[in-house]
Amino acid sequence: MASGLYSCPTRILKSGCQILSKPLATIMNKSVEYGTYPSKLKHSKIIPVYKNEDEHDPNNYRPISLLSIFNRIFEEIIYNRLISFLKKHDILNHSQYGFCEGCSTEHALINIITKIQQNIDRGLYSCGVFIDLKKAHFILLAKLEHYGIRGPSGQNSP
């Protein structure tokens, strides 16, 4: 597996887990507690990956960011904490398919096709609105706050 800057092979982490787990846990817990992230882990190795058509056109490449194994560990910890919170407070909509265990884009497609077929059977019209929200992080932050995920570590949670 390719790794980014300031990384180390996973075999070294696994073999040294007894020694490394406590300091890593401390760093990651402090990061969550204070709402900061280690500056060295904010760097990534960017590689261009060819998409299609003319190989000489830079627009036909997409950037891939290779992160450190520490980023992946941190991401997994935050993901598990967030999912646990969302499940505990029953916040996720049952039509949420992205980033949910056991769900996929296929499930979303089956759901929408089923709803369209039901509407056709009832003689109703169907309409779909699809919005790309990847740049709307401010909306996400407002939603997180609304659901009780506030401050550096969500200490004000309901």
Side-chain angles (χ1 to χ4, degrees):
M1 177 187 298
S3 60
L5 303 172
Y6 306 111
S7 195
C8 73
T10 52
R11 62 182 159 68
I12 292 177
L13 277 180
K14 286 179 181 179
S15 66
C17 69
Q18 296 295 327
I19 298 167
L20 296 172
S21 61
K22 191 163 182 127
L24 275 176
T26 301
I27 291 168
M28 292 179 183
N29 285 329
K30 291 292 182 187
S31 179
V32 170
E33 181 181 344
Y34 294 117
T36 61
Y37 196 70
S39 60
K40 294 281 187 193
L41 294 181
K42 293 179 183 179
H43 299 272
S44 65
K45 188 186 325 179
I46 310 292
I47 60 167
V49 175
Y50 173 70
K51 293 187 296 187
N52 57 24
E53 298 180 18
D54 182 10
E55 293 180 13
H56 302 292
D57 182 357
N59 294 317
N60 291 330
Y61 289 82
R62 62 186 173 104
I64 298 292
S65 297
L66 298 179
L67 299 172
S68 157
I69 186 67
F70 302 112
N71 293 83
R72 288 183 278 235
I73 292 169
F74 191 80
E75 181 180 309
E76 186 73 20
I77 289 167
I78 296 299
Y79 174 81
N80 289 335
R81 285 184 181 183
L82 184 58
I83 289 297
S84 173
F85 177 86
L86 295 173
K87 285 181 179 178
K88 178 180 175 183
H89 297 286
D90 195 28
I91 293 172
L92 285 179
N93 186 299
H94 298 290
S95 295
Q96 169 70 34
Y97 296 99
F99 304 104
C100 289
E101 187 177 333
C103 293
S104 67
T105 54
E106 287 86 7
H107 291 99
L109 287 171
I110 290 168
N111 185 19
I112 196 165
I113 289 169
T114 301
K115 287 182 180 187
I116 290 170
Q117 287 174 333
Q118 289 170 345
N119 284 345
I120 290 171
D121 293 343
R122 289 188 234 150
L124 301 173
Y125 294 101
S126 295
C127 176
V129 177
F130 302 92
I131 303 169
D132 182 1
L133 296 175
K134 69 180 170 186
K135 292 187 179 181
H137 61 276
F138 59 92
I139 294 172
L140 175 60
L141 293 175
K143 289 278 188 190
L144 289 172
E145 178 145 348
H146 171 78
Y147 288 114
I149 301 168
R150 301 178 184 94
S153 62
Q155 296 145 330
N156 303 327
S157 304

